Amino acid sequence: AMQEALDRTAPTSQGTPGAPEQIQGFYASAKVSNSANISITNDTLTALTFNTEDWDTGGLHSPSTNPGRLTAPVAGKYLIGLKIGFDTNATGYRQVSIRLNGATVIGLLRQMAVTTAGIPTFMGITLPYNLAVNDYVEALVQHVAGGALDVRAGADSSPIFSMTLFM
């Protein structure tokens, strides 16, 4: 049913409805965020959840069922992105990763914390990935700041998780 709905609404290069293989551009996409800070325990890999949908064209996200997942409604090549802001703390490293189907890390970035007083550590990761129908991705974070540390909520700055079908 989802594939049929996407087929009917997906534009072709001529701007008329058509099959996915005719599509030039994007048609299944979601951008989600969380409206509140999320406390992350020291040295604990944590899957984030997202309670706000900026958009979801294609049913990639559910804020009530598995709110940390973006799920591929159709097979194809997707561009997956994650942007995180950790609260101010100059100790240790910060890590963001994207995990496929609850098991395989497909993207990871680790960096030392910003050491300038009052400046949070922002991190982002973007990658293309070939997904099968119903594959899902999750956003994970970890830090070693010595105590609990928030992933900061901020308008259009953190945490943001997105996925867009491009082929």
Side-chain angles (χ1 to χ4, degrees), residues 93-112:
Y93 70 81
R94 310 292 179 262
Q95 177 177 303
V96 296
S97 56
I98 297 173
R99 182 170 65 188
L100 175 65
N101 295 331
T104 306
V105 173
I106 59 173
L108 183 139
L109 174 64
R110 181 183 289 176
Q111 70 184 43
M112 295 306 293

Side-chain angles (χ1 to χ4, degrees), residues 83-96:
K83 182 179 176 187
I84 299 296
F86 284 98
D87 213 358
T88 303
N89 180 304
T91 303
Y93 70 81
R94 310 292 179 262
Q95 177 177 303
V96 296

